[in-house]
Amino acid sequence: MRDERVIFSSSVDSLYRKALAPSLTPELVDRLRARGMNLHAPLLAAYPFAVWVDCLEDTARTLHPDQPVEQGRRLLGRRMVEGYAQTLVGGAVLTLARVVGPMRSLERMQHNFRSGNNYTETRLTVLGPSQADLWFNEPQALEGFVDGVLEEGMLRVGMQKFTLHRTRHSPESATYHLEWSDRAS
C-alpha cells in the first residue's frame, strides 16, 4: 500500500534501541514482538503506523504506570529525541539546528519528522521573533508524543524559557503554540 502510514526504522532505533534499551523488561520486549516490533531481530525498513501506536501505548503504560498514557507518550517523545541525538545523523541535525536557531528549526520541522515517518505534514505561522504556531497532521492516537519530541528538541536547539500549548482541531490535526526567550535574554 503506497498510502499506508509507516514509521521508519530510524525512529524505532532512536527510541527503543538507543534511549530505552536498559529500561525494557523481557516481558515488554516479548509483547512488542507480538505486536509486530521484534527488537532482537534486524529492524525492518518501516513499521505500520498501527504497530507504532500499539507499541508506544504499551511502552508508556509499562514504563510510566503512575501516569496517564498521554503523559507517558510525552515522556517517550522526549526520550526519542535523546536517542536520536546519539545517532550520527541526529547529532548532526541537532548541532545544525542549534546554529540556525529555533525559528529556522521550526521551518524545517516537516523535513525533520519525515526522516522518521512518511506522513507528517506541518505548517508554520510566525507570530513574532520568538513565537510561532506549528500545525501538524498529528493523529490523536499519538496524543502527547509530539509534545515530548517538540519539548526536548526545542530545548536542545537552544530555546530558553520555552512554553508549548497544543490545540486539537480534529482526530487528525493539532496546532502547537510555542513561545520562548531569545538566547541573548
Side-chain angles (χ1 to χ4, degrees):
M1 290 186 153
R2 279 191 100 96
D3 295 334
E4 180 184 13
R5 288 181 173 185
V6 297
I7 307 300
F8 301 136
S9 63
S10 59
S11 294
V12 174
D13 181 57
S14 293
L15 180 59
Y16 286 97
R17 289 194 169 166
K18 299 276 190 280
L20 296 180
S23 306
L24 300 176
T25 64
E27 296 80 16
L28 177 57
V29 170
D30 287 345
R31 289 195 312 270
L32 296 176
R33 181 177 44 243
R35 293 178 185 286
M37 187 183 294
N38 186 349
L39 299 175
H40 292 303
L43 295 178
L44 303 176
Y47 294 83
F49 178 75
V51 168
W52 178 247
V53 169
D54 287 347
C55 289
L56 281 179
E57 183 163 338
D58 192 356
T59 304
R61 290 184 189 284
T62 300
L63 297 183
H64 305 288
D66 56 334
Q67 301 285 333
V69 72
E70 178 182 335
Q71 176 66 8
R73 284 192 297 255
R74 184 184 142 275
L75 295 169
L76 293 178
R78 292 190 75 137
R79 295 296 307 274
M80 188 165 108
V81 174
E82 176 187 312
Y84 183 62
Q86 296 174 36
T87 68
L88 186 61
V89 170
V93 166
L94 289 168
T95 298
L96 176 63
R98 204 163 174 77
V99 171
V100 302
M103 198 63 77
R104 296 265 319 270
S105 297
L106 290 171
E107 290 170 355
R108 295 186 44 77
M109 200 56 65
Q110 180 168 313
H111 175 78
N112 294 341
F113 269 77
R114 282 290 182 104
S115 70
N117 67 54
N118 73 339
Y119 64 86
T120 295
E121 295 176 18
T122 67
R123 288 191 297 266
L124 181 68
T125 303
V126 176
L127 303 172
S130 57
Q131 190 178 127
D133 284 343
L134 185 62
W135 176 91
F136 273 83
N137 67 327
E138 173 202 355
Q140 193 167 10
L142 292 178
E143 196 87 10
F145 187 76
V146 171
D147 301 60
V149 170
L150 288 173
E151 287 170 351
E152 187 66 25
M154 294 297 99
L155 288 172
R156 287 178 181 255
V157 302
M159 282 187 176
Q160 304 294 315
K161 298 178 185 170
F162 169 63
T163 61
L164 172 76
H165 173 75
R166 174 183 8 99
T167 302
R168 176 137 315 270
H169 304 293
S170 74
E172 292 298 321
S173 72
T175 296
Y176 291 85
H177 179 75
L178 302 96
E179 291 186 48
W180 62 95
S181 295
D182 290 331
R183 292 178 189 176
S185 299

